[in-house]
């Protein structure tokens, strides 16, 4: 069997290590070893561990950003409720898989600050999905499909906040699982949010 190209092996190894031991404890040396290459080879593809982290988010986790771009460009392809349901479903999956990777940063404030500075240089960060959902909702508002007075930023924050909360809030329960399956959660969240941004407007 032909071996996967080095870049793919590096991203796979980074994803696996970040998921199992966390971003803070994962080093480029360990990633290179797991990928079967040298650290020098790793740096031929990625300028830093932060760039590699962003690549893992973009290429190995549920893709939220492309969906938001698509819906902002063409919001009326589906109903508002259908669009919000798909955003909620994919966001919940994204946070469920990204939290175990990034949570370790919060135990090391200096490392977290360095990581945040690197994210700013790369033009990304956890605020970007909120901006993306806000842009989508503004497109819906401009199209007259939600209320003209709807606070789109607040609605985006509520939607993604609920999805993020679902990713970690239920670990301490008896069975360690959220009360609703993912699809039911996404649909219920979309319906509930919709009541706050629509007043007598047909969906």
């Amino acid at each position: 069997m032909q071996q996967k190209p080095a870049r793919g092996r590096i991203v796979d190894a980074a994803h696996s290590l970040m998921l199992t031991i966390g971003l803070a404890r994962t080093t480029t040396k360990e990633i290179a070893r797991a990928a079967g290459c040298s650290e020098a080879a790793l740096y031929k593809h990625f300028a830093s561990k932060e760039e590699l982290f962003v690549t893992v988010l973009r290429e190995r986790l549920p893709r939220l950003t492309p969906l938001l771009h698509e819906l902002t460009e063409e919001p009326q392809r589906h109903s508002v409720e259908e669009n919000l349901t798909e955003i909620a479903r994919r966001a919940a999956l994204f946070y469920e898989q990204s939290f175990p990777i990034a949570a370790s940063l919060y135990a090391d404030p200096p490392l977290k600050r360095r990581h945040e500075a690197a994210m700013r240089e790369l033009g990304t960060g956890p605020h970007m999905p909120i901006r993306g959902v806000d842009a989508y909702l503004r497109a819906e508002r401009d199209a007259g499909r939600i209320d003209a007075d709807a606070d789109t930023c607040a609605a985006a924050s509520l939607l993604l906040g609920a999805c993020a909360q679902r990713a970690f809030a239920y670990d301490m329960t008896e069975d360690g699982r959220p009360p609703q399956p993912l699809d039911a959660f996404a649909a219920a969240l979309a319906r509930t949010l919709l009541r706050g941004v629509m007043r007598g407007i047909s969906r």
Side-chain angles (χ1 to χ4, degrees), residues 3-203:
Q3 190 178 39
K4 182 182 282 192
R7 183 188 182 281
R9 298 200 316 273
I10 291 166
V11 177
D12 285 345
H15 182 208
S16 177
L17 284 167
M18 290 175 182
L19 195 58
T20 53
I21 65 174
L23 179 60
R25 292 177 58 196
T26 299
T27 66
T28 53
K29 183 178 293 185
E30 290 171 322
I31 294 169
R33 186 185 305 117
C37 67
S38 66
E39 248 189 304
L42 182 151
Y43 281 113
K44 286 181 182 177
H45 296 279
F46 302 98
S48 65
K49 188 174 79 170
E50 288 76 20
E51 183 180 332
L52 188 45
F53 168 63
V54 171
T55 302
V56 167
L57 294 184
R58 288 174 176 166
E59 298 184 11
R60 295 296 184 271
L61 271 60
R63 304 194 69 192
L64 179 58
T65 300
L67 171 68
L68 297 176
H69 287 323
E70 290 167 16
L71 294 179
T72 301
E73 292 296 318
E74 204 173 348
Q76 299 186 57
R77 186 186 302 177
H78 303 290
S79 71
V80 180
E81 184 170 337
E82 288 173 318
N83 289 342
L84 289 174
T85 298
E86 182 56 21
I87 291 171
R89 189 187 70 81
R90 207 170 299 190
L93 284 172
F94 175 81
Y95 289 122
E96 182 181 290
Q97 296 181 34
S98 63
F99 268 20
I101 293 174
S104 60
L105 285 175
Y106 289 83
D108 189 337
L111 179 61
K112 181 175 177 288
R113 286 193 292 272
R114 291 197 300 273
H115 181 80
E116 288 168 346
M119 292 297 98
R120 282 192 288 272
E121 288 182 14
L122 291 167
T124 189
H127 60 290
M128 296 303 288
I130 299 174
R131 288 183 179 177
V133 177
D134 181 29
Y136 158 68
L137 289 171
R138 281 187 279 111
E140 293 285 20
R141 189 176 61 189
D142 292 344
R145 299 216 300 170
I146 64 173
D147 193 85
D149 295 326
D151 187 329
T152 56
C153 184
S157 299
L158 288 168
L159 177 71
L160 294 179
C163 294
Q165 184 79 357
R166 185 180 188 272
F168 73 92
Y170 298 101
D171 287 348
M172 298 289 183
T173 60
E174 292 79 2
D175 58 7
R177 292 184 301 187
Q180 292 174 298
L182 175 61
D183 289 345
F185 163 80
L189 179 57
R191 285 194 302 271
T192 302
L193 186 72
L194 210 50
R195 294 190 188 104
V197 295
M198 300 181 72
R199 280 185 249 167
I201 298 175
S202 173
R203 286 180 275 184

